Structures are given as structure tokens and as C-alpha cells.
Amino acid sequence: MKGETQPQPMEWYPTPSYLAKRRVILEFVAGLDVSRFLEVGCGAGDLLSVLEKKGLSGVGIDLSASARAAARTRVSGGAVAVSDAELAGLDGGFDLVIASEVMEHCEDDIAFLELLGGKLHDGGHLLLTVPSHMDKWGANDDFCGHVRRYERAELNEKLVRAGFEPLAIYCYGFPICNIMKPLYDRAISKELDQEKSAEERTQNSSGMWLFPAVKRLFYLLFNDLTMAPFYMLQRPFYGTELGNGFFVAARKAPSLEDRK
């Protein structure tokens, strides 16, 4: 509306943890037949931009107005658009739904999975990333308003309950994410005494507010070229419990009515 103050786009820069996660997502997407996708929690729109450059069309949504503002600067608004709509209000029929670092914020994660499933056609794919292992709980989890970190068996069981067929659960990021996590936790620990709402903490979950003064240095140090050895190194450890996050791929199972 005319006269309204537009939100400032959020800060964004590549971190090794994000790039390791993005690589796993993109490698899996490359093997799928995707016409239209939905990204829930699209943040500043980096993944939206990459998927658009690969010829995909889709929609990104995010709770944060500043994240949406940043994302709109990265995509065409045609093939890939950023919507102000809430998840429940979106029409379904997507081939692929991506929700990266979102489900750990949901009190009722089964209901969240079911809601995601409602946006997919039968046989459509769901890709998730979530933090792994409750024994790795740290200051970042507290500050960002996480409800839980996940275990592999728990993820498998909840996917099935929500109507999905699990396809892959990778524990990604070893060793680079394990190295970075204590640094993030130390940087965040001093912020924990500040009074912030759950929504504010959720919107801070990207961690982009931590090191804005060295944003240009992060672009120089962390990119697909410098991270290539870590991309290769993490793959042999997907089946272990050594990484700092889980990547999940699942397929929406047909409803009981459709099976008859």
C-alpha cells in the first residue's frame, strides 16, 4: 500500500554450513523430474535463485518480511516468485516441497509434515534439512527457538506417520559443520540474556546477524570452489551419525482412496 514502509532486505552471506547443506539438496534435486517446486522458509532466496538458474519454476515463502524482501531481489518474479502467503493458504499440486531448517521450530512436527504433504501431488517429493542429535544441543538451538534436534529413527517414523515414504536420510556436514558449530554457539551465547520473542528468534535462525562486518570475507573464503573438497568429503559419512544435520528425502504416498 502507498506510504507503507518497505522492510529492509536481510543480510545474507554464504557460510560453510549452509553451502554443505545446499550441495546435498541440489545433488538430490538433480535426479528428480521437477516442474514446479515450493520452498518453505526460503530466507534471502539463495536456493530459489540457484533453482531458477537451473530452469525450474516455483514459489518461495518465509515468515520474515526482510527475508522476503531480500529474496525478491534474487529471483525473476516470473518463473520463481516470492509470496507473502502463509503455508496453509497456498494451493497445492507441487512436484517438490523443500523445507530447510524449519521443522525443528514446530511444536507439532507431524502436523507440519502433513501440511507439507497437502501441497504435494501423490508421488511428489519432500526434501528437509534439520539439526541432528539432541546431545549436540547448544546456544544456537536456544537462541533460535528450536524445539528439538532430530535422530534418524525418529525422522523415519514421523515421515511414515505423516503419509510419506522415506527415501534417504543423510547425516551431512562432517567435518566442516562440526568445526563451525562451536564457533556459532560461542558467538550466540552472549545474546541469550536478551529478551526476544519466539518469532524474533526463529527469524534469526539463519545466523546472518552474527558476522555482517566480514560479509565480503565470507564470500571470498566460502564458495563452491573453496568448498569442493568438503562437498566430496561429507559424502562417505552420510550413513554415519557424525554430521551436524540431517538431510531427508521422502515421497508422498498415495492416499488409501487412491490405492483402491
Side-chain angles (χ1 to χ4, degrees):
M1 185 179 296
K2 189 175 180 179
E4 286 187 349
T5 302
Q6 296 300 313
Q8 288 296 312
M10 69 178 288
E11 293 277 357
W12 188 87
Y13 49 84
T15 65
S17 301
Y18 170 75
L19 292 175
K21 171 181 64 184
R22 186 183 74 177
R23 176 49 61 106
V24 187
I25 293 171
L26 292 175
E27 286 177 351
F28 203 91
V29 170
L32 301 177
D33 182 12
V34 178
S35 175
R36 189 163 176 263
F37 73 90
L38 167 66
E39 185 182 6
V40 178
C42 65
D46 175 73
L47 183 59
L48 292 178
S49 175
V50 174
L51 293 174
E52 183 175 43
K53 290 173 183 176
K54 292 182 178 296
L56 278 65
S57 63
V59 177
I61 61 174
D62 199 283
L63 291 175
S64 167
S66 62
R68 296 194 302 270
R72 288 191 175 106
T73 69
R74 292 176 172 269
V75 299
S76 68
V80 174
V82 178
S83 173
D84 292 341
E86 295 185 2
L87 177 59
L90 281 176
D91 292 332
F94 291 96
D95 305 302
L96 170 67
V97 171
I98 302 169
S100 181
E101 309 305 297
V102 178
M103 191 167 74
E104 65 272 16
H105 297 277
C106 300
E107 289 284 351
D108 190 343
D109 51 1
I110 299 293
F112 177 68
L113 286 171
E114 291 174 341
L115 185 57
L116 296 180
K119 306 307 171 184
L120 286 165
H121 61 64
D122 286 348
H125 287 82
L126 172 67
L127 303 184
L128 306 170
T129 67
V130 294
S132 63
H133 311 311
M134 281 298 293
D135 62 5
K136 291 184 178 180
W137 190 273
N140 181 59
D141 299 289
D142 288 320
F143 185 78
C144 295
H146 293 174
V147 177
R148 66 186 70 77
R149 299 176 70 92
Y150 284 89
E151 309 300 334
R152 190 186 298 266
E154 176 188 10
L155 285 166
N156 191 83
E157 184 264 337
K158 288 184 174 181
L159 286 165
V160 172
R161 284 178 57 192
F164 288 95
E165 174 192 355
L167 300 176
I169 300 178
Y170 301 152
C171 197
Y172 74 89
F174 180 83
I176 188 67
C177 294
N178 305 66
I179 295 170
M180 296 301 296
K181 185 179 185 301
L183 301 179
Y184 292 145
D185 282 343
R186 280 197 293 271
I188 286 171
S189 60
K190 62 184 179 181
E191 302 286 338
L192 285 175
D193 292 335
Q194 297 185 16
E195 290 295 327
K196 292 184 181 289
S197 68
E199 181 178 355
E200 287 175 317
R201 293 187 176 199
T202 295
Q203 292 178 9
N204 279 331
S205 62
S206 67
M208 291 297 107
W209 52 275
L210 280 175
F211 310 112
V214 292
K215 179 171 71 172
R216 291 182 181 179
L217 182 61
F218 271 66
Y219 273 103
L220 179 65
L221 293 178
F222 306 120
N223 52 66
D224 281 339
L225 181 62
T226 60
M227 286 289 294
F230 294 103
Y231 293 159
M232 292 187 291
L233 186 58
Q234 71 177 346
R235 291 187 194 123
F237 297 95
Y238 282 167
T240 73
E241 303 299 315
L242 296 176
N244 196 47
F246 281 119
F247 164 84
V248 178
R251 183 187 294 118
K252 182 180 177 180
S255 64
L256 291 176
E257 291 78 9
D258 293 336
R259 295 178 195 175
K260 295 177 181 179

